[in-house]
Structures are given as structure tokens and as C-alpha cells.
Amino acid sequence: MMPFADLTVAQAIHRATAEYHVSTRRVLSVLEAVSARPSGIGPMGIPAQWLPVLARAGFPKAEVVGSPEWNVAAGTWILAVTRQGSDASRNQTAAIAGMATPAGPLAVSQLAQAINAAASTYHLPAAFITAVMLQESGGNPGARSPKGAMGLMQLIPATAARYGVTNPWSPRQSLMGGAAYLAHLVREFNGNPTLVLAGYNAGGQAVRNAGYRIPPYEQTQQYVPAVLGEYQQLTDQ
């Protein structure tokens, strides 16, 4: 992939809008607004909290901060992945961080489609699924834990089988299986996100045994606020 820094700003706009399916008019409106009232980082006014997400998606922090061309590309990518449909039945937050693969940001569109499909199927915010995915695997579909959890959503074999996942390394299957499990926990814990995440990490029985609180496991007590923090960052945009 040609580095965005090798392009002019105009070329960067043209390329990024084509790659991330964002209208040129929308990008130009952001550039004009930031120029009139400067805020954030660079010509696209990128909020600082997006830098870690962008880095995982293949946009180096130094380039986003220092190169107008990279900044335009990164800002356009943010516009693409935070785009929401106008139909209320499809109003899912598409706040998608990139996969940690050599494909870099060009893999985002496929990942976004898979996350949005899982979100639509199980009536969950796409950003919530994304936050869990980032904490579980860092967006790496080949991730495997010492305890045998696999894929983007780190499904153990029993959970994968329960939700019909035959290939846990498939991003789409892993996301569907993980979303199905999250939806089950949402029903079990009446939509309480803290208990849902605790159940995803430690199991629903552990949450019940703890008196419907976060179980007294160090990993779970760190996991829940980490995912909630990531979710908040994604939905704040």
C-alpha cells in the first residue's frame, strides 16, 4: 500500500473516500468545520482518544499527528466506521477498530460488515461487540489463549459448540457466536452491562455465585472496567 504521506492532501481525500466509501462532500465539510473552529488533532480534528484505536487499525500515531495526508485518511476511516443507518431498525453504532493483521485498515470494511451483522442479528450495539472483541483478542482472528479460547471473541470449545460455531477462527462465525453469548447474558442479567461482561469473562454461574456482582477474580475485576471504558470511548465519538 502506498503511504498516504506520498500523496497530496487532495489525492489522500480521493483515495480515502474511495477506499472507505465516504462521500467527498462529508470529508470536506469536516475539514471546513475544523478549519473554522480548530479542535482535536490535525485537519480532521481527530479526538486524542481515537489514537489507540487508529493504531490498532494500521494508522501510526506519529503519522496521524504529523502528516496531514495520513490525518485525512484516518479521519475518513473514522467517519466510515462510525456511520449509522437512518432506519431505526438498523441504527447500530458502527464504531469498529481494525484487525491486527498485515491487511491493516483495508480489512476494516469486512470486519465492520461482520460486526454489524452480528449486532443486527442479536440486537446489540455494534460498539459493545467491538469493545469486547478488542479486549478479548485485540482484533486478531488467530488469537488463542493458554486456556484454549479461540478467535476474535475468544470462544472456548464448549461455548463455540453451544452457539453453532464450527470454525472459531472465522471472524464472522466468532463474532456471531460471541454476540449470541452476549445476548444470552443480556437476557439473564436484565441488560446490566457490568454483569453481562462479568458473565462473559467468568461465566454466568460465577456471577450468580457472587450474589449478582462482579466475581472476586482479579482478571474479571480488571476486565469489566476495561471493556466499559473502551465502549465509552467508541460511543463518545
Side-chain angles (χ1 to χ4, degrees):
M1 183 176 74
M2 180 188 298
F4 279 100
D6 289 348
L7 308 176
T8 67
V9 171
Q11 289 172 328
I13 293 171
H14 176 74
R15 178 174 177 182
T17 54
E19 288 185 355
Y20 308 131
H21 307 289
V22 175
S23 71
T24 301
R25 178 181 298 177
R26 191 174 182 202
V27 174
L28 291 176
S29 71
V30 172
L31 291 169
E32 290 173 4
V34 174
S35 177
R37 298 186 63 181
S39 65
I41 298 168
M44 292 292 284
I46 295 172
Q49 60 263 41
W50 268 96
L51 292 175
V53 177
L54 288 167
R56 282 193 290 267
F59 296 93
K61 176 181 177 180
E63 298 287 4
V64 173
V65 172
S67 165
E69 295 79 15
W70 272 94
N71 188 273
V72 166
T76 305
W77 181 83
I78 291 172
L79 291 175
V81 301
T82 57
R83 181 168 46 213
Q84 297 183 354
S86 58
D87 184 339
S89 68
R90 297 182 292 106
N91 188 22
Q92 301 291 341
T93 303
I96 314 303
M99 297 170 68
T101 70
L106 297 182
V108 168
S109 60
Q110 294 177 343
L111 182 61
Q113 290 173 5
I115 291 176
N116 283 333
S120 178
T121 299
Y122 293 104
H123 309 290
L124 297 169
F128 191 69
I129 297 173
T130 301
V132 172
M133 178 197 72
L134 290 173
Q135 186 65 27
E136 289 289 340
S137 67
N140 179 8
R144 186 183 188 108
S145 79
K147 294 184 179 181
M150 300 169 284
L152 283 175
M153 299 295 280
Q154 289 292 277
L155 303 176
I156 61 173
T159 303
R162 178 180 179 182
Y163 294 106
V165 176
T166 58
N167 178 10
W169 310 113
S170 161
R172 181 170 291 275
Q173 285 198 38
S174 182
L175 287 161
M176 281 293 186
Y181 186 28
L182 286 169
H184 165 79
L185 293 167
V186 166
R187 293 190 295 271
E188 180 171 358
F189 298 122
N190 298 314
N192 184 318
T194 297
L195 299 185
V196 169
L197 294 171
Y200 195 91
N201 182 256
Q205 188 61 53
V207 174
R208 293 189 291 274
N209 291 345
Y212 291 86
R213 295 181 176 85
I214 300 176
Y217 309 143
E218 181 179 359
Q219 183 192 47
T220 305
Q221 291 181 348
Q222 293 176 354
Y223 175 90
V224 172
V227 178
L228 289 175
E230 187 86 54
Y231 178 50
Q232 187 65 51
Q233 284 191 21
L234 293 171
T235 55
D236 276 349
Q237 308 312 312

